[in-house]
Amino acid sequence: MSSFSPPPGYNRIKTVGDFRELAATPFHNGVNALCWQRTLSGDFGEIVALLDTGDGLTAIDDGRLNALRLTPAGETARTIILDDLQLLRTQGLAPELNCIRSYPRDEDGGTVRTDVYSFHADSAPVATDTFLCTYLGAASEGLRNDEARRRIDVPETRAELLAQFGGVDDDDFRVHLHENCYDLHYAPLPHAQPFNFGLGNFWRIAVDSPDSPVPPCVHRAPDNLPGQPPRLLLIC
């Protein structure tokens, strides 16, 4: 399992000691990400190998997970996953376990990419959070808010989007930006140093919502590099 260290001098990430603290700690004073650092035992690779998933993203339900015939190391990994799922369900949430070989990519070649490989913020119409944990494969990447700029706030990008829209920079244009999720995607500043969420760590991150007291946590899915195993990701 890979470790995680908050970027030096960056106070928007807080580490916690257990799930109770992860779920109960409010986002305030600018903190928009909580990390329960963990070193997990067990063989998560065995689980992925036996799932025999195809390309793209495959959701794994409890029945399919429980049906796997595993070695003791695989059993340990399965128990950890099932326990994590149950922790979220006790909060009234509906987590998913996904095996990911690749996500759909925005192949349009437009001005602003809107796939999950682009740095972005999750969005919701009401106050909520995103929980996630990568058990295997490449972990998510985060970007400090002070090292990120909304792509629609880059003058050249906004001008190009406006030209494509064919109108003026008014409320209708802003609705267009929102409806196409352009306002949720970010460009790293030239000096930006993205940070890795680390394997096994359980995260809760703030989303873009009207009632959020803090800015959203900017993050992205990692690129799928040749030779890497698929991602095994819990997300909620």
Side-chain angles (χ1 to χ4, degrees):
M1 298 294 165
S2 60
S3 61
F4 165 76
S5 297
Y10 189 58
N11 60 7
R12 292 195 182 277
I13 301 171
K14 180 179 179 180
T15 57
V16 298
D18 54 30
F19 182 80
R20 181 200 61 77
E21 193 177 0
L22 182 72
T25 301
F27 290 133
H28 67 103
N29 293 334
V31 173
N32 64 5
L34 301 170
C35 175
W36 174 19
Q37 298 185 77
R38 307 187 298 178
T39 299
L40 304 182
S41 56
D43 189 346
F44 296 93
E46 179 184 357
I47 291 175
V48 168
L50 292 176
L51 286 172
D52 190 27
T53 57
D55 294 335
L57 182 152
T58 304
I60 310 300
D61 61 29
D62 290 15
R64 186 172 182 184
L65 189 60
N66 279 315
L68 299 177
R69 300 185 65 179
L70 300 169
T71 66
E75 287 273 10
T76 298
R78 174 167 58 190
T79 298
I80 289 170
I81 294 171
L82 291 171
D83 287 349
D84 286 349
L85 289 166
Q86 186 57 34
L87 285 171
L88 291 169
R89 288 167 182 156
T90 59
Q91 299 293 311
L93 303 174
E96 290 186 3
L97 178 67
N98 294 326
C99 184
I100 306 155
R101 296 185 184 275
S102 65
Y103 288 103
R105 287 188 179 270
D106 185 353
E107 303 290 359
D108 292 341
T111 304
V112 175
R113 280 178 50 197
T114 56
D115 58 43
V116 296
Y117 294 109
S118 164
F119 279 113
H120 64 279
D122 296 339
S123 176
V126 296
T128 188
D129 313 310
T130 296
F131 288 85
L132 70 160
C133 174
T134 304
Y135 301 106
L136 184 74
S140 301
E141 292 183 332
L143 187 64
R144 295 171 56 134
N145 292 83
D146 58 355
E147 295 182 349
R149 187 181 190 185
R150 286 197 313 173
R151 292 190 180 274
I152 64 169
D153 294 330
V154 177
E156 297 82 2
T157 301
R158 193 178 188 93
E160 188 171 344
L161 289 170
L162 183 59
Q164 294 166 4
F165 178 67
V168 296
D169 197 338
D170 57 8
D171 288 343
D172 288 340
F173 179 56
R174 286 184 282 277
V175 169
H176 168 75
L177 295 177
H178 181 69
E179 288 180 342
N180 287 278
C181 300
Y182 296 142
D183 57 343
L184 296 175
H185 287 262
Y186 291 75
L189 297 181
H191 65 282
Q193 295 185 332
F195 57 89
N196 192 282
F197 279 32
L199 291 180
N201 297 326
F202 212 151
W203 286 78
R204 178 174 146 236
I205 61 176
V207 309
D208 187 305
S209 70
D211 299 322
S212 177
V214 295
C217 178
V218 179
H219 63 290
R220 71 177 176 187
D223 288 319
N224 300 83
L225 301 178
Q228 283 186 329
R231 291 185 81 196
L232 189 60
L233 173 72
L234 180 153
I235 190 163
C236 180

